[in-house]
């Protein structure tokens, strides 16, 4: 077998070092041996946006962006979306295995048993101004849970981690639904633990639909949550790992992750896509809109991905669900615009040459709208689906002996030392 090392020669000095290769990576700290002067700090890597930096070893989710592959704990996303339930997938992400039947029943019951939220949290949810964005409310609600459950600070106790995880999975849908109904001036609906996770969420939102369409909507919601459940070291998961690396409690870490998810380049894209489709308004306006994209006036939201340079496998499943849901709820003209926009973009050299394909957010908004969700709540649905992945990544981080507090370096380009000027001598 060939030697598993990388030899690097520093042409400034002629110094050669040999670094071990493990899993196609080299330890970044090894580069620090490269110095021009003995008292230099040593070589670092410069990687804005972490495009080529592995920050952890993980066993949760595998993504191959070139081949359009996504697997949770080894299981292809297509099979999980077809055969599994959201809480079953949450168990898989958190514990590494699909539960046997009795274990699944117990797991579902333990999460649903946590679905009541504290009275003071309900009161807090009433205090936000009319028109407050639901993501801001969700961040505040999750951060407030840190004050309600101070035992969550015992982050090195694995039993405690599990307790907080189950509590979060149980309470998040209730907090979201309660805040949503509060905003509309409608009464809070108590959770019904006898229902499935997604069915109960739609019940608390007051969006169950009639007897015929209700089960279709509940299954669609469950599958959408499965598709969002984890996506390895993305912006929000990295934010969560960074926060949790300081041993902050999981509520604060999750609130930070939701903040990262809020932006339109990440989980806020589903909201932005729907607004974009509404702005395009008619298929005849697509060419003019794509010209604006190519002139860099706007981005084609729901397209492109840091990792996928092929069709996002989640987007294909979401597109299928969109048709299934619209079949029972009635059509939405935005789907025709979305399909034609996708087709036109995929034949255009601008998108082809940059390998830009629809991502998970391209079609989700159309489904959420058909279910009756207002557009500003779409990113909250992403957050609810992503919760088990964040928590699985948190558990993995906390039991990883190689992890330390996250603390990147910088290249300092500011002023060298200079004397402090008195105020009357400043320009
Ligand atoms: N519309 C137009 N051009 C784009 C787009 C887009 N959506 N995405 C990338 N490009 C261009 C970009 O301008 C650049 O072109 P050039 O090399 O000529 O300057 C090239 O493609 C590479 O783009 P990038 O911005 O360097 O890629 P990135 O990996 O830094 O960004 C992204 C990834 C997802 C932020 C970006 O593709 C984007 O802004 N997409 C729209 C927002 C979106 O849909 N986000 C949801 C992501 S999937 C769900 C999630 O996990 O959050």
């Amino acid at each position: 077998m060939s030697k598993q090392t990388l030899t690097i020669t520093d042409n400034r000095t002629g110094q050669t070092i040999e670094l071990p290769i493990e899993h196609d990576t080299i330890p970044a700290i090894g580069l620090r041996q490269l110095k021009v002067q003995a008292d230099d700090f040593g070589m670092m890597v410069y990687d804005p946006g972490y495009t080529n930096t592995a920050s952890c070893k993980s066993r949760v989710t595998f993504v191959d962006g070139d081949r359009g592959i996504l697997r949770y704990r080894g299981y292809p996303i297509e099979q999980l979306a077809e055969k599994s339930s959201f809480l079953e997938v949450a168990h898989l992400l958190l514990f590494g295995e699909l539960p046997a039947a009795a274990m699944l029943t117990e797991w579902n019951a333990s999460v649903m048993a946590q679905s009541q939220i504290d009275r003071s949290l309900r009161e807090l949810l009433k205090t936000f101004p009319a028109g407050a964005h639901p993501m801001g409310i969700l961040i505040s609600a999750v951060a407030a849970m840190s004050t309600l459950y101070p035992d969550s600070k015992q982050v090195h106790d694995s039993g405690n981690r599990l307790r907080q995880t189950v509590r979060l999975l149980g309470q998040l849908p209730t907090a979201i639904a309660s805040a949503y109904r509060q905003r509309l001036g409608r009464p809070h609906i108590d959770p019904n633990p006898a229902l499935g996770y997604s069915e109960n969420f739609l019940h608390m939102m007051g969006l169950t639909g009639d007897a015929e369409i209700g089960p279709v909507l509940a299954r669609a919601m469950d599958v959408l949550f499965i598709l969002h459940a984890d996506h390895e070291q993305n912006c929000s998961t990295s934010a969560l790992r960074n926060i949790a690396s300081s041993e902050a409690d999981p509520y604060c870490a999750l609130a930070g992750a939701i903040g990262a998810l809020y932006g339109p380049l990440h989980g806020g894209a589903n909201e932005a896509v729907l607004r974009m489709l509404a702005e395009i308004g008619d298929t005849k306006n697509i060419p003019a809109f794509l010209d604006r994209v190519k002139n860099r006036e706007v981005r084609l939201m729901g397209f492109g991905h840091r990792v996928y340079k092929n069709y996002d496998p989640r987007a294909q499943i979401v597109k299928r669900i969109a048709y299934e849901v619209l079949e029972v709820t009635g059509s939405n003209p935005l789907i025709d615009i979305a399909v034609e926009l996708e087709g036109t973009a995929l034949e255009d050299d601008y998108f082809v040459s940059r390998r830009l394909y629809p991502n998970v957010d391209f079609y989700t908004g159309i489904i959420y709208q058909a279910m009756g969700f207002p557009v500003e709540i779409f990113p909250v649905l992403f957050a609810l689906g992503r919760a088990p992945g964040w928590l699985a990544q948190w558990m993995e981080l906390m039991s990883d002996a190689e992890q330390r507090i996250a603390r990147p370096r910088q290249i300092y380009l500011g002023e060298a030392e200079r004397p402090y000027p008195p105020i009357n001598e400043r320009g």
Side-chain angles (χ1 to χ4, degrees):
M1 201 171 97
S2 59
K3 213 171 160 193
Q4 295 296 300
T5 62
L6 179 73
T7 301
I8 301 171
T9 301
D10 184 342
N11 293 322
R12 298 171 303 175
T13 59
Q15 183 190 358
T16 293
I17 58 168
E18 191 174 348
L19 298 176
I21 298 176
E22 192 194 19
H23 308 298
D24 279 336
T25 61
I26 54 164
I29 196 76
L31 296 174
R32 290 267 286 278
Q33 304 164 58
L34 297 172
K35 299 177 178 191
V36 177
Q37 307 288 340
D39 60 352
D40 280 353
F41 183 77
M43 181 81 77
M44 298 186 290
V45 291
Y46 175 56
D47 190 11
Y50 308 120
T51 53
N52 198 37
T53 297
S55 65
C56 63
K57 293 173 183 164
S58 182
R59 293 184 162 75
V60 183
T61 291
F62 173 79
V63 180
D64 180 333
D66 284 329
R67 292 191 290 156
I69 292 174
L70 168 60
R71 297 183 201 130
Y72 299 158
R73 303 279 188 186
Y75 296 109
I77 191 66
E78 294 80 3
Q79 292 180 27
L80 293 169
E82 193 191 328
K83 299 177 180 160
S84 207
S85 71
F86 177 59
L87 282 189
E88 199 177 357
V89 166
H91 185 286
L92 173 69
L93 290 168
L94 289 162
F95 308 110
E97 295 297 340
L98 288 165
M103 172 63 84
L104 178 60
T105 307
E106 198 183 307
W107 169 244
N108 287 345
S110 64
V111 173
M112 296 309 289
Q114 293 291 328
S115 54
Q116 286 287 357
I117 57 171
D118 195 272
R119 193 149 198 94
S120 63
L121 184 56
R122 267 173 68 180
E123 291 306 313
L124 174 80
L125 296 174
K126 292 180 186 162
T127 62
F128 293 92
H133 194 283
M135 281 297 261
I137 299 176
L138 182 62
I139 292 166
S140 312
V142 174
M145 288 173 78
S146 158
T147 68
L148 295 173
Y149 306 113
D151 60 321
S152 64
K153 313 241 170 292
Q154 309 305 321
V155 294
H156 291 295
D157 172 350
S158 59
N160 193 289
R161 290 202 292 268
L162 180 57
R163 251 193 321 284
Q164 308 308 330
T165 293
V166 174
R167 184 180 271 157
L168 263 161
L169 293 179
Q171 294 197 15
L172 274 176
T174 316
I176 291 168
S178 188
Y180 164 76
R181 292 187 60 83
Q182 177 61 40
R183 215 163 156 265
L184 297 179
R186 296 186 190 150
H188 168 92
I189 300 177
D190 267 330
N192 179 354
L195 299 176
Y197 193 84
S198 299
E199 196 183 2
N200 176 54
F201 175 57
L202 293 176
H203 152 76
M204 292 186 295
M205 296 286 291
L207 296 174
T208 28
D210 63 27
E212 198 191 326
I213 72 169
V216 179
L217 299 189
R219 178 61 193 158
M221 189 81 257
D222 217 53
V223 177
L224 289 174
F225 285 155
I226 292 172
L227 298 179
H228 287 88
D230 196 49
H231 212 245
E232 51 115 315
Q233 309 312 315
N234 52 79
C235 176
S236 55
T237 303
S238 302
L240 173 128
R241 278 182 174 260
N242 266 11
I243 298 169
S245 76
S246 76
E247 303 185 357
D249 71 61
Y251 301 100
C252 291
L254 219 80
I258 299 167
L261 188 76
Y262 191 174
L265 299 189
H266 193 7
N270 53 17
E271 180 180 349
V273 168
L274 210 88
R275 295 191 194 283
M276 172 188 79
L277 294 175
E279 187 194 321
I280 294 172
D282 195 298
T283 51
K284 71 177 188 319
N285 299 325
I286 289 174
F289 179 79
L290 288 179
D291 284 344
R292 288 179 61 213
V293 173
K294 290 187 274 183
N295 290 335
R296 297 171 189 274
E297 290 166 41
V298 286
R299 283 213 155 192
L300 177 51
M301 301 310 287
F303 252 68
H305 199 277
R306 170 61 59 78
V307 180
Y308 292 119
K309 301 300 167 198
N310 199 326
Y311 222 106
D312 178 336
R314 301 168 299 176
Q316 280 164 316
I317 303 170
V318 176
K319 189 173 177 182
R320 198 193 66 231
I321 301 172
Y323 280 110
E324 285 168 14
V325 167
L326 292 181
E327 200 173 306
V328 296
T329 59
S331 196
N332 177 342
L334 295 186
I335 190 135
D336 299 329
I337 299 176
V339 169
E340 193 161 327
L341 184 58
E342 176 196 342
T344 313
L346 292 180
E347 284 175 1
D348 189 307
D349 187 56
Y350 176 94
F351 300 93
V352 175
S353 63
R354 289 172 178 77
R355 302 176 72 192
L356 301 172
Y357 291 84
N359 60 48
V360 68
D361 289 316
F362 194 66
Y363 286 101
T364 47
I366 291 173
I367 306 174
Y368 297 146
Q369 194 176 53
M371 289 173 156
F373 289 103
V375 66
E376 64 277 10
I377 213 167
F378 295 177
V380 166
L381 303 175
F382 193 147
L384 185 51
R386 182 55 55 86
W390 283 329
L391 290 161
Q393 300 274 348
W394 171 59
M395 286 199 177
E396 187 176 67
L397 169 88
M398 295 315 295
S399 54
D400 181 348
E402 289 183 8
Q403 285 296 326
R404 305 165 70 189
I405 186 166
R407 204 325 184 167
R409 295 282 178 175
Q410 65 168 3
I411 302 171
Y412 178 71
L413 299 176
E415 301 287 348
E417 183 179 346
R418 48 187 178 158
Y420 181 86
I423 195 157
N424 57 354
E425 288 178 17
R426 296 175 203 167

